[in-house]
Amino acid sequence: MTVASPAFPTLPAIRAARHRLGDRVETTSVRRLRDHALDPRLPTGSALWLKEELFQRTGSFKPRGALTVIMSLTPEQLARGVTGVSAGNHAISLAYSARELGSTAKVVMPRTANPYRIAMCTELGAEVVLVENVHEAFETARAIERDEGRTFVHPYEGPLTALGTATVGLEFIEQTRANGVELDAVVVAAGGGGLTGGVACAVKLLAPAAQLFVVEPEGADTMHRSFAAGTPQGIDKVRTIADSLGAPRCEPYSFALNQAYVDDVVLVSDDAIRDAMRLLYRSAKLVTEPAGAASLAAVVGPLRDRLAGQQVGVVVCGGNVDAASFCRYLALDE
């Protein structure tokens, strides 16, 4: 593990960020998941703890980072508004954050984005621009930034974004300790590395002995490729049902943060994600989007033997899925 850069979040800074966010974000629930139907699938002798970020404002962890960034803007920047790129959750969080802080949002989304998420953006007051793919989306957002003077808020890159997402890890460790539990491992899904880097940093600062595992879909494996290469890498196309985890490339700051604090990156298939969605629905009564189930897919899949006998924390990162899509995912391969 590399030595942390001074630019990485510190524990006092993470605590201050959480205080500043205040009640604009929820301190989401943590609970141990107990269910006889799930027990045979879990690592032998383990206990599973869920950090339920799907109950966050806007249905995912994303407002933590977006608000942290937008709260740093000057009054003049707030007046000009913000822009960003997203398949859904970041766009929704930008719309929410801009409204909360008296600004406006113009978000760029691929045409393949779920109509449910597009509708959530417009309901929160954002202007939505649809483009063909995520690569074009970044180009369009940069043009909006240049032509309209809006501040570009990256979906996962940068120190302020990581500072915001680190509050998830801070809460998770403090909440499980309040239950008399020391987590041995935390598992969290990556959609570019902003969440995983922030969570990993906070967890390691508070509980250095805990292992931190990052999970990616096989069809959007930018962090896995980057770890293998030792430098930030990209992919030509996102090929997964977990579109919230569909980052086209890894960026320098989030990659460095993950490289400093993450123990390993594992991959899961779309079939494994669908199976984990069913497990969460059956055992936790949670309706998750595919991204929200990816971490559990890794716990009952590639990490199962490695997590035997441990207290395992899983971040359920989001639940923005429409009813028809959710039912379709659960029905497949039944």
Side-chain angles (χ1 to χ4, degrees):
M1 187 175 295
T2 60
V3 177
S5 159
F8 292 166
T10 64
L11 195 52
I14 298 168
R15 293 191 189 280
R18 182 62 189 90
H19 178 75
R20 192 177 184 205
L21 287 169
D23 61 5
R24 289 190 172 99
V25 301
E26 302 289 340
T27 300
T28 52
S29 51
V30 166
R31 59 168 164 153
R32 181 177 176 183
L33 183 55
R34 301 173 186 264
D35 182 75
H36 72 277
L38 178 66
D39 287 345
R41 301 286 306 277
L42 292 178
T44 303
S46 68
L48 187 67
W49 296 83
L50 304 182
K51 175 64 169 165
E52 297 173 321
E53 277 293 290
L54 77 168
F55 296 136
Q56 188 52 260
R57 303 288 180 87
T58 78
S60 82
F61 72 93
K62 284 290 190 178
R64 295 178 185 266
L67 280 166
T68 303
V69 173
I70 299 173
M71 289 169 76
S72 72
L73 301 183
T74 66
E76 292 76 18
Q77 289 173 313
L78 285 173
R80 289 193 294 270
V82 297
T83 187
V85 173
S86 173
N89 286 337
H90 179 60
I92 297 166
S93 76
L94 283 183
Y96 166 75
S97 301
R99 190 177 72 168
E100 279 288 301
L101 299 173
S103 186
T104 62
K106 188 173 185 176
V107 297
V108 186
M109 305 175 73
R111 295 187 188 280
T112 54
N114 191 302
Y116 170 79
R117 296 178 180 178
I118 296 172
M120 287 185 68
C121 291
T122 58
E123 288 168 7
L124 286 166
E127 181 181 351
V128 177
V129 178
L130 298 178
V131 297
E132 293 304 317
N133 55 59
V134 69
H135 292 284
E136 185 181 339
F138 275 94
E139 296 172 3
T140 302
R142 290 300 188 185
I144 292 170
E145 178 186 33
R146 180 188 65 245
D147 298 340
E148 300 182 20
R150 293 179 179 270
T151 299
F152 177 74
V153 182
H154 200 282
Y156 53 86
E157 174 72 342
L160 288 176
T161 297
L163 187 62
T165 61
T167 63
V168 178
L170 173 73
E171 290 177 11
F172 206 172
I173 295 298
E174 291 183 342
Q175 288 169 292
T176 48
R177 282 179 174 168
N179 282 285
V181 171
E182 284 290 330
L183 291 178
D184 298 304
V186 174
V187 186
V188 56
L195 174 63
T196 55
V199 169
C201 178
V203 167
K204 292 289 188 176
L205 290 174
L206 284 161
Q211 289 188 292
L212 202 298
F213 295 102
V214 166
V215 183
E216 286 187 311
E218 292 174 350
D221 59 342
T222 53
M223 189 64 69
H224 188 267
R225 294 184 186 207
S226 299
F227 265 57
T231 57
Q233 301 293 308
I235 56 177
D236 63 335
K237 186 178 180 180
V238 174
R239 300 175 177 87
T240 176
I241 61 170
D243 54 352
S244 299
L245 305 181
R249 57 183 173 269
C250 210
E251 300 290 354
Y253 180 86
S254 53
F255 171 68
L257 189 60
N258 279 269
Q259 192 178 43
Y261 291 111
V262 167
D263 291 286
D264 199 5
V265 183
V266 299
L267 300 179
V268 293
S269 68
D270 280 1
D271 284 345
I273 290 173
R274 281 188 285 263
D275 179 52
M277 291 175 70
R278 297 185 197 105
L279 284 174
L280 283 170
Y281 183 66
R282 163 65 179 82
S283 299
K285 310 309 178 191
L286 294 179
V287 175
T288 66
E289 61 186 277
S295 293
L296 180 60
V299 171
V300 301
L303 293 176
R304 190 173 189 273
D305 291 341
R306 298 168 69 176
L307 296 176
Q310 298 190 22
Q311 299 282 344
V312 181
V314 165
V315 178
V316 183
C317 60
N320 285 324
V321 60
D322 64 279
S325 296
F326 181 74
C327 292
R328 187 173 67 252
Y329 293 138
L330 263 63
L332 288 177
D333 299 325
E334 284 288 333

